[in-house]
Amino acid sequence: FPTRRSSHLLHPKAAALASQAARPERVRVCLDVTSAALYCYQQWRRAPAQSAFSSIEQSACMGEAALASLGVRLASGLPTLALVGDWGQCMVPSELHSAVELGLDRYVVVVWANGGGAFIGAGVAQQGLQVPEAAWRWRKPPSFARVAEGLGAKGVVASDVPTLRR
């Protein structure tokens, strides 16, 4: 997903619906602690054969979906989608490298890149804290597609619904 500062934005609701439409009948999904999960909770409808893992309600930590999804993919043998926040993905690139090393197919990591720290920013605002935005938002976020390619995976930037569905 492009960052908020990008000139080509994909609305989070449209992204959630596009990712739902692209999921196969039998799939495992792991949702990270990210604003993306909230959109997916609101928009997604799951078929009985589509299982989801999320710890957002209970002591969750950023990047956890990337960790869980690798195990879920290996254990189930089913296509697996990990929806990870941008800050969370920066914490766990080794998981993507492990998937490449293991030659896993049907394993997709979608990085919800909204400029970094959406949840942190909401918490700062809610608590009325005087924290500079530079402390929780990047000036120039990483190119996650390039990071993926550097780890041996295919990296794609989806700034429209057809690209995301592919």
Side-chain angles (χ1 to χ4, degrees):
F1 295 93
T3 66
R4 183 178 308 164
R5 294 185 177 120
S6 170
S7 60
H8 302 287
L9 291 177
L10 182 56
H11 190 280
K13 181 178 177 180
L17 291 171
S19 61
Q20 175 187 344
R23 291 189 326 240
E25 179 72 27
R26 292 180 43 126
V27 66
R28 299 296 179 256
V29 177
C30 297
L31 299 170
D32 202 11
V33 180
T34 178
S35 57
L38 301 180
Y39 282 98
C40 292
Y41 284 140
Q42 287 182 327
Q43 303 301 320
W44 280 0
R45 301 297 172 256
R46 287 186 298 126
Q50 296 176 335
S51 296
F53 164 84
S54 176
S55 61
I56 198 168
E57 299 95 1
Q58 302 174 3
S59 304
C61 64
M62 292 188 297
E64 190 172 22
L67 302 170
S69 65
L70 189 55
V72 165
R73 171 63 183 86
L74 289 168
S76 71
L78 294 173
T80 302
L81 167 66
L83 184 62
V84 183
D86 43 12
W87 280 29
Q89 183 60 27
C90 284
M91 297 175 188
V92 292
S94 59
E95 307 311 310
L96 184 55
H97 186 259
S98 294
V100 170
E101 288 286 307
L102 293 168
L104 293 182
D105 62 346
R106 302 174 306 141
Y107 178 71
V108 176
V109 177
V110 174
V111 179
W112 190 270
N114 59 5
F119 271 176
I120 297 168
V124 166
Q126 182 183 37
Q127 296 173 56
L129 301 173
Q130 299 299 313
V131 178
E133 187 173 290
W136 52 268
R137 184 177 303 281
W138 291 306
R139 284 185 199 91
K140 184 176 182 198
S143 169
F144 293 101
R146 290 178 70 189
V147 170
E149 290 167 356
L151 295 169
K154 182 177 180 182
V156 176
V157 175
S159 57
D160 56 53
V161 169
T163 303
L164 179 58
R165 283 191 177 165
R166 276 193 305 281

